[in-house]
Amino acid sequence: MKLTAQTWSEYVARLARLNQKAGQLMADYIAAHGTGDTDALIAYAHALVTKYGEGSAELACQMYDALAAAARAGVPAAEPAEPASYGEIARMVQATKASPPQMQRGVSRLVKRAGADTTLKNALRDGAEFAWIPQGDTCAFCLTLASRGWQKASQAAIKGGHAEHIHANCDCEYAIRFDGASTVAGYDPKKYLKQYRDAGSDVNALRRVNYAANRERINAQKRAAYALRQKNRGQKVAITDIAIQKVPLVAPHGADHQTAFFIQETHKELLRFAQKQNDSNEVACLLDLTTGEKLDFVKGDQTSVDVEKDATSYHWLRAKKPNSVMVCHNHPGQSYFSMNDISVFMHYNSVGAMSIVTNQGKVWTISKTAKFDFAAAKESMNRAIAESSGNKDRAIEIFLKECYNYGVERGE
């Protein structure tokens, strides 16, 4: 019997939807609530892994039973594996708490593992064979596993009670057979083994070979993604409550933890004001980082906000102590610093820092250090403009890459 490519792909896609959904829900939770409450993070991750892990195990049972029936194997109905325990999930959360994307992948991986555990444990119970079937853009490591071909299920494949080598962002899955002849259409372990041996039986070498073979396709995908970003750049994104909640702590040069919290709350208030009172357009606010004072928000349009036209803000820019003022503003189109931003930042001695908080909650900062040299910075900008043939975005990119040379620090 040969399982068709379409049937296998549909099965893999259904499993993938479960682990991807669980990971996305974890990401949404972190965006809304942050990572400060570890117990709440663990409880939520446990609920996701349990719910979607049980779904993954049930799908694996259905495929196992269908293959057993087709082969007339005469084995008992498949039993779903238990999802990850509370303790396992707690350890994953503790290990990834500093990196929300890693925590999201951790949840996805544990959901995916429940399906793999189900397949392998039932195969071990019934004396079936298993194989690791590549799917999609397969990494070198998965190709190496796939090159081992069909293997008799044994305890060695379930070390520590779980299937090994399960990682997120991967659609490869285990298949099983009972008759020593069945397979999945397109699965070619001899081809994978040749690729591995041609790379000197070195996974890293195989990774480099695969990249070289697919470089043009990969670069084409990157160019297409960049073109899409450029096409969408400048298009206003409506501010959401989730975006406001995900605004991170940032600490421009010299800012202590208390100041960082002050800046974070200002960014959140700024986005809330723009959302409720300015149609998600630009809004600016000046802070005095030495006194903790904050001015009223200044409204702008979709592409700009002019703090110099606001009388109180202009007075601060002209009269405040050197490097005491931070200019905070949002960019509805997710763009980076503009020429006007750089001009205000450089020319006012009072301005020590500037931030952009995008309408999706990302924050960029630039700040002056004690070594700030206006003349050197201006000269660098002139060179950047000449080098970029007048392309302002490119000029700013060049200018900020050299910023440490004239006493400017970037952050995000």
Side-chain angles (χ1 to χ4, degrees):
M1 180 188 71
K2 180 179 287 187
L3 198 64
T4 67
Q6 180 178 349
T7 299
W8 183 253
S9 294
E10 289 173 352
Y11 167 64
V12 167
R14 292 177 70 192
L15 286 170
R17 282 195 291 271
L18 289 173
N19 66 63
Q20 290 167 6
K21 178 66 174 178
Q24 185 57 55
L25 287 172
M26 191 73 235
D28 292 345
Y29 179 89
I30 294 171
H33 303 284
T35 58
D37 190 336
T38 303
D39 289 341
L41 281 173
I42 294 170
Y44 190 73
H46 180 256
L48 290 176
V49 171
T50 299
K51 175 181 177 179
Y52 289 94
E54 288 175 349
S56 182
E58 179 56 34
L59 279 177
C61 282
Q62 292 174 14
M63 175 58 80
Y64 190 95
D65 289 343
L67 291 173
R72 295 184 173 85
V75 297
E79 299 176 3
E82 289 291 327
S85 68
Y86 189 90
E88 288 178 295
I89 294 166
R91 289 191 291 275
M92 181 277 291
V93 169
Q94 292 282 9
T96 61
K97 187 178 176 183
S99 175
Q102 288 187 24
M103 193 183 302
Q104 177 183 354
R105 289 193 290 271
V107 166
S108 291
R109 180 181 62 80
L110 292 176
V111 170
K112 178 180 172 68
R113 193 185 71 180
D117 283 355
T118 298
T119 299
L120 287 187
K121 289 181 177 181
N122 283 287
L124 178 61
R125 180 197 69 182
D126 298 331
E129 291 182 312
F130 72 88
W132 185 245
I133 310 298
Q135 184 80 6
D137 288 333
T138 308
C139 70
F141 186 71
C142 282
L143 284 177
T144 302
L145 294 180
S147 73
R148 296 175 181 176
W150 292 95
Q151 306 164 66
K152 189 79 170 181
S154 68
Q155 200 64 50
I158 316 175
K159 294 179 181 178
H162 296 293
E164 292 191 296
H165 317 305
I166 304 301
H167 51 278
N169 303 323
C170 170
D171 289 337
C172 304
E173 293 286 352
Y174 284 111
I176 56 99
R177 70 182 186 185
F178 299 89
D179 55 12
S182 296
T183 190
V184 176
Y187 175 55
D188 190 349
K190 291 182 179 179
K191 180 181 74 173
Y192 310 138
L193 182 59
K194 184 177 186 304
Q195 289 177 318
Y196 178 63
R197 287 177 174 169
D198 287 348
S201 300
D202 183 328
V203 173
N204 289 325
L206 178 59
R207 185 177 292 114
R208 290 190 292 271
V209 169
N210 284 351
Y211 175 77
N214 294 290
R215 182 186 293 115
E216 285 305 314
R217 179 176 59 81
I218 293 170
N219 288 339
Q221 290 175 338
K222 290 181 178 179
R223 288 192 294 270
Y226 176 77
L228 181 60
R229 288 196 301 271
Q230 290 299 100
K231 179 181 178 181
N232 292 333
R233 186 177 182 182
Q235 294 183 5
K236 182 170 68 175
V237 173
I239 299 169
T240 65
D241 291 344
I242 289 177
I244 295 171
Q245 289 298 322
K246 71 188 287 188
V247 170
L249 277 172
V250 293
H253 180 75
D256 58 21
H257 202 60
Q258 183 176 352
T259 303
F261 274 114
F262 174 47
I263 294 168
Q264 181 188 44
E265 287 305 308
T266 299
H267 286 152
K268 289 182 177 182
E269 291 173 14
L270 187 153
L271 286 184
R272 181 74 69 190
F273 181 89
Q275 178 195 45
K276 300 295 185 182
Q277 300 189 43
N278 202 35
D279 194 29
S280 293
N281 287 322
E282 282 205 34
V283 169
C285 177
L286 269 57
L287 312 180
D288 187 327
L289 298 184
T290 62
T291 65
E293 296 175 274
K294 177 171 62 178
L295 293 184
D296 291 337
F297 296 118
V298 178
K299 292 182 180 181
D301 56 26
Q302 184 174 329
T303 58
S304 65
V305 59
D306 191 346
V307 293
E308 294 171 298
K309 286 187 176 180
D310 177 74
T312 307
S313 298
Y314 183 67
H315 174 71
W316 269 33
L317 292 174
R318 299 281 298 186
K320 283 286 185 177
K321 295 178 181 179
N323 295 346
S324 63
V325 173
M326 180 171 182
V327 181
C328 306
H329 66 305
N330 66 309
H331 275 190
Q334 323 312 305
S335 56
Y336 201 45
F337 291 98
S338 68
M339 276 294 183
N340 186 63
D341 292 338
I342 300 297
S343 177
V344 170
F345 173 77
M346 286 177 52
H347 285 86
Y348 286 102
N349 289 333
S350 61
V351 176
M354 176 177 284
S355 67
I356 296 169
V357 53
T358 74
N359 281 18
Q360 292 182 330
K362 184 176 180 61
V363 177
W364 293 296
T365 66
I366 50 176
S367 50
K368 296 171 183 173
T369 72
K371 297 180 179 180
F372 178 68
D373 184 334
F374 174 79
K378 185 176 181 180
E379 182 181 348
S380 177
M381 176 58 82
N382 290 336
R383 287 198 307 270
I385 292 172
E387 184 179 335
S388 64
S389 303
N391 183 317
K392 294 181 179 180
D393 291 338
R394 176 60 180 156
I396 292 169
E397 181 182 343
I398 296 170
F399 172 76
L400 290 177
K401 278 184 177 180
E402 303 175 355
C403 64
Y404 283 105
N405 295 331
Y406 40 82
V408 174
E409 185 176 285
R410 286 195 293 176
E412 60 178 82

